[in-house]
Amino acid sequence: QVQLVESGGGLVQPGGSLRLSCAASGNTFSISAMGWYRQTPGKQRELVARMANGGGTNYADSMKDRFTISRDNARNTVYLQIDSLRPEDTAVYYCSADGPLGHRYWGQGTQVSVSS
């Protein structure tokens, strides 16, 4: 089993930046990729970015300009840098980890709110 805990969310003004963190624990050896998704009420959870163990990344097309994913494999931690935040970025951001047999683990989510 893998447990994921996100942190770093909060209330920021438009144009600001945030760095989200997600720490994995448990059977972290089984993780093949980690990523970030976001979800707002009434909308489906959408991919933000994903990074495989070897460093390959996959971004949603709309996220490539302002979102940057990074990983510290030694610490079993994945980060999401968000720059030039806009109100439409307001969402709950979820950390993910891909385990064996196609199983995807999820964190509890961290709230990002962008407002003046």
Side-chain angles (χ1 to χ4, degrees):
Q1 296 294 315
V2 174
Q3 296 80 45
L4 303 171
V5 179
E6 302 100 330
S7 62
L11 176 63
V12 298
Q13 294 184 346
S17 297
L18 281 176
R19 186 175 184 243
L20 308 182
S21 300
C22 174
S25 60
N27 189 18
T28 57
F29 180 81
S30 68
I31 297 174
S32 61
M34 298 185 72
W36 291 94
Y37 293 71
R38 70 182 186 184
Q39 188 171 24
T40 58
K43 287 189 174 182
Q44 191 174 21
R45 188 173 299 183
E46 64 176 343
L47 170 72
V48 176
R50 181 176 175 270
M51 178 176 284
N53 289 1
T57 58
N58 183 36
Y59 289 87
D61 288 341
S62 61
M63 312 295 179
K64 291 179 179 178
D65 55 341
R66 300 180 296 110
F67 294 78
T68 304
I69 189 171
S70 61
R71 286 178 65 181
D72 184 341
N73 292 330
R75 292 185 171 90
N76 298 308
T77 302
V78 64
Y79 304 92
L80 183 68
Q81 177 72 32
I82 316 175
D83 297 317
S84 301
L85 280 158
R86 304 194 289 245
E88 54 263 40
D89 295 322
T90 296
V92 177
Y93 285 72
Y94 293 92
C95 177
S96 71
D98 295 344
L101 305 176
H103 183 77
R104 178 164 289 159
Y105 299 92
W106 296 101
Q108 81 285 357
T110 184
Q111 177 71 46
V112 172
S113 298
V114 185
S115 176
S116 299

